[in-house]
Amino acid sequence: MRRILLSLALFLPLAAVAADNDIEKVNGSVWVDAGQHAGDVGSVNGSVHVGERAVVQKVSTVNGSVDLGAQAHAGELGTVNGAIRLAAGSQVAGKVEAVNGAITLAQGAQVDGHLSNVNGAITLDAAHVAGGLETVSGDITVGAGSHVEGGILVDKPNNGWFRWGSERKPVVVIGPHTVVQGTLEFRRDVVLKVSDSAQIGTVKGAAVERFHGDAP
């Protein structure tokens, strides 16, 4: 069974010794200016904002959101308590992970790795994810013109803290003119709505409700 877990490094204090181009704080938000190149960027208690066309490596925070600006590039993104937002045309070479927070990809945004959270909506707007989508309790909207490789997994809550919010059925919407390659696997009850113009892979564990038009 795949697990949605951030790397241990995300929960540990930020390294006391950082490379010259790393930007790290314990308290407070971190800003990377437009067009700036940086290494690892992070905070423990604060958000991380990466400006337009900036290039960074790992972006991480524990309590705070992560914003990747338009046309910016990152190696990977992660947060525990906070949202992750990718602006238009931004790119992430690796994974994007949250625990308690929504993940939003604007038009033309691309994630080459796995994209996952536990609680919070996942929304793609004409975006591309190459490594699959995964959640436990969040809704998923694969918006019009989006492309997902690696399938979709909605996992069942375990006996621990993942059970929070598990009584509600997640809603999964596969919008018009989208492509979802790979298996759509649902290990808990969900509502699955698929546009009649969408192309999807094999569905396991849910009944498909087809819809016409822009939205169900």
Side-chain angles (χ1 to χ4, degrees), residues 8 12-13 51 55-56 65-66 81 87-88 96 104 114 119 135 138 143 154 171 179-181 189 207:
L8 289 176
L12 296 174
V55 179
V56 298
S65 61
V66 173
N81 298 305
V96 173
T104 305
H114 190 55
N119 301 303
T135 190
V154 178
V171 177
V179 177
V180 180
Q181 296 174 267
D189 290 339

Short mmCIF file of all heavy atoms in Angstrom, two decimals, residues 8 12-13 51 55-56 65-66 81 87-88 96 104 114 119 135 138 143 154 171 179-181 189 207:
data_model
loop_
_atom_site.label_atom_id
_atom_site.label_comp_id
_atom_site.label_asym_id
_atom_site.label_seq_id
_atom_site.Cartn_x
_atom_site.Cartn_y
_atom_site.Cartn_z
N LEU A 8 11.28 12.47 6.34
CA LEU A 8 11.59 12.84 7.71
C LEU A 8 12.21 14.22 7.81
O LEU A 8 12.02 14.94 8.79
CB LEU A 8 12.55 11.81 8.33
CG LEU A 8 11.95 10.44 8.63
CD1 LEU A 8 13.05 9.51 9.13
CD2 LEU A 8 10.84 10.55 9.65
N LEU A 12 11.90 17.53 10.75
CA LEU A 12 13.04 17.84 11.59
C LEU A 12 13.37 19.32 11.52
O LEU A 12 13.01 20.00 10.56
CB LEU A 12 14.26 17.02 11.15
CG LEU A 12 14.11 15.51 11.30
CD1 LEU A 12 15.32 14.82 10.69
CD2 LEU A 12 13.96 15.13 12.76
N PRO A 13 14.07 19.87 12.51
CA PRO A 13 14.50 21.27 12.42
C PRO A 13 15.34 21.47 11.18
O PRO A 13 16.06 20.58 10.75
CB PRO A 13 15.32 21.45 13.70
CG PRO A 13 14.82 20.41 14.64
CD PRO A 13 14.43 19.24 13.79
N GLY A 51 9.14 33.49 -6.36
CA GLY A 51 8.71 34.45 -7.36
C GLY A 51 8.72 33.92 -8.78
O GLY A 51 9.22 32.82 -9.06
N VAL A 55 14.27 29.85 -9.79
CA VAL A 55 14.67 28.44 -9.85
C VAL A 55 15.19 28.04 -8.47
O VAL A 55 16.13 28.64 -7.95
CB VAL A 55 15.76 28.21 -10.91
CG1 VAL A 55 16.18 26.74 -10.93
CG2 VAL A 55 15.27 28.64 -12.29
N VAL A 56 14.56 27.02 -7.88
CA VAL A 56 14.95 26.56 -6.55
C VAL A 56 15.00 25.03 -6.53
O VAL A 56 14.53 24.37 -7.45
CB VAL A 56 13.97 27.06 -5.47
CG1 VAL A 56 13.95 28.57 -5.39
CG2 VAL A 56 12.55 26.53 -5.75
N SER A 65 2.08 27.82 4.00
CA SER A 65 1.78 27.45 2.62
C SER A 65 3.02 27.56 1.74
O SER A 65 4.04 28.12 2.14
CB SER A 65 0.67 28.35 2.06
OG SER A 65 1.09 29.70 2.06
N VAL A 66 2.92 27.00 0.54
CA VAL A 66 3.99 27.08 -0.45
C VAL A 66 3.39 27.62 -1.74
O VAL A 66 2.40 27.07 -2.26
CB VAL A 66 4.63 25.70 -0.72
CG1 VAL A 66 5.62 25.79 -1.87
CG2 VAL A 66 5.31 25.17 0.54
N ASN A 81 1.19 21.52 7.27
CA ASN A 81 -0.05 22.25 7.51
C ASN A 81 -0.07 23.51 6.66
O ASN A 81 0.45 24.54 7.05
CB ASN A 81 -0.18 22.62 9.00
CG ASN A 81 -0.24 21.39 9.89
OD1 ASN A 81 -1.09 20.52 9.70
ND2 ASN A 81 0.66 21.31 10.85
N ALA A 87 1.55 28.37 -9.82
CA ALA A 87 1.02 29.35 -10.76
C ALA A 87 1.21 28.89 -12.20
O ALA A 87 1.85 27.87 -12.47
CB ALA A 87 1.69 30.71 -10.53
N ALA A 88 0.67 29.65 -13.12
CA ALA A 88 0.66 29.27 -14.53
C ALA A 88 2.07 29.03 -15.06
O ALA A 88 2.98 29.84 -14.84
CB ALA A 88 -0.01 30.36 -15.35
N VAL A 96 5.25 16.53 -5.12
CA VAL A 96 4.56 17.60 -4.42
C VAL A 96 3.70 16.95 -3.35
O VAL A 96 2.83 16.14 -3.67
CB VAL A 96 3.68 18.42 -5.40
CG1 VAL A 96 2.81 19.42 -4.64
CG2 VAL A 96 4.53 19.12 -6.44
N THR A 104 -3.18 23.18 -5.59
CA THR A 104 -3.81 23.77 -6.77
C THR A 104 -2.77 24.00 -7.86
O THR A 104 -1.71 24.58 -7.59
CB THR A 104 -4.47 25.12 -6.42
OG1 THR A 104 -5.39 24.92 -5.34
CG2 THR A 104 -5.22 25.68 -7.63
N HIS A 114 5.14 12.49 -8.20
CA HIS A 114 3.88 12.13 -7.56
C HIS A 114 3.31 13.35 -6.83
O HIS A 114 4.05 14.12 -6.23
CB HIS A 114 4.14 11.00 -6.57
CG HIS A 114 2.91 10.36 -6.01
ND1 HIS A 114 1.92 9.83 -6.79
CD2 HIS A 114 2.52 10.15 -4.71
CE1 HIS A 114 0.98 9.31 -6.02
NE2 HIS A 114 1.31 9.50 -4.76
N ASN A 119 -5.60 15.54 3.58
CA ASN A 119 -6.82 16.33 3.72
C ASN A 119 -6.68 17.61 2.91
O ASN A 119 -5.71 18.34 3.08
CB ASN A 119 -7.06 16.70 5.19
CG ASN A 119 -7.19 15.47 6.07
OD1 ASN A 119 -8.03 14.62 5.84
ND2 ASN A 119 -6.34 15.39 7.09
N THR A 135 -4.82 10.89 -2.57
CA THR A 135 -5.38 11.56 -1.39
C THR A 135 -6.07 10.52 -0.53
O THR A 135 -6.22 9.35 -0.92
CB THR A 135 -6.35 12.69 -1.79
OG1 THR A 135 -6.68 13.46 -0.63
CG2 THR A 135 -7.63 12.13 -2.42
N GLY A 138 -9.50 14.17 0.59
CA GLY A 138 -9.72 15.37 -0.22
C GLY A 138 -10.48 15.11 -1.50
O GLY A 138 -10.45 14.00 -2.06
N GLY A 143 -9.36 19.35 -13.95
CA GLY A 143 -10.08 20.32 -14.76
C GLY A 143 -9.85 20.16 -16.24
O GLY A 143 -8.95 19.44 -16.70
N VAL A 154 -7.39 7.04 -4.26
CA VAL A 154 -7.99 7.56 -3.04
C VAL A 154 -7.91 6.44 -2.02
O VAL A 154 -8.61 5.43 -2.13
CB VAL A 154 -9.45 8.01 -3.26
CG1 VAL A 154 -10.04 8.50 -1.94
CG2 VAL A 154 -9.51 9.13 -4.30
N VAL A 171 -15.25 13.66 -3.42
CA VAL A 171 -15.83 13.82 -4.76
C VAL A 171 -14.69 13.96 -5.76
O VAL A 171 -13.82 14.82 -5.61
CB VAL A 171 -16.75 15.05 -4.82
CG1 VAL A 171 -17.29 15.24 -6.25
CG2 VAL A 171 -17.90 14.92 -3.83
N VAL A 179 -7.30 13.72 -19.90
CA VAL A 179 -6.77 12.38 -20.08
C VAL A 179 -6.19 11.93 -18.74
O VAL A 179 -5.34 12.61 -18.17
CB VAL A 179 -5.67 12.33 -21.16
CG1 VAL A 179 -5.08 10.92 -21.26
CG2 VAL A 179 -6.23 12.78 -22.51
N VAL A 180 -6.65 10.79 -18.24
CA VAL A 180 -6.09 10.18 -17.03
C VAL A 180 -5.61 8.79 -17.41
O VAL A 180 -6.41 7.89 -17.64
CB VAL A 180 -7.10 10.10 -15.88
CG1 VAL A 180 -6.46 9.45 -14.66
CG2 VAL A 180 -7.63 11.49 -15.52
N GLN A 181 -4.30 8.64 -17.51
CA GLN A 181 -3.71 7.36 -17.87
C GLN A 181 -3.39 6.59 -16.60
O GLN A 181 -2.96 7.16 -15.60
CB GLN A 181 -2.44 7.57 -18.68
CG GLN A 181 -2.66 8.25 -20.02
CD GLN A 181 -1.36 8.57 -20.71
OE1 GLN A 181 -0.85 9.67 -20.57
NE2 GLN A 181 -0.82 7.62 -21.46
N ASP A 189 -15.32 4.67 -0.23
CA ASP A 189 -16.44 5.16 -1.02
C ASP A 189 -16.17 6.59 -1.49
O ASP A 189 -15.77 7.45 -0.70
CB ASP A 189 -17.73 5.14 -0.19
CG ASP A 189 -18.22 3.73 0.07
OD1 ASP A 189 -17.83 2.82 -0.69
OD2 ASP A 189 -18.99 3.54 1.03
N ALA A 207 -18.26 3.51 -8.98
CA ALA A 207 -19.12 3.55 -10.16
C ALA A 207 -18.95 4.90 -10.84
O ALA A 207 -18.92 5.94 -10.17
CB ALA A 207 -20.58 3.33 -9.76
#
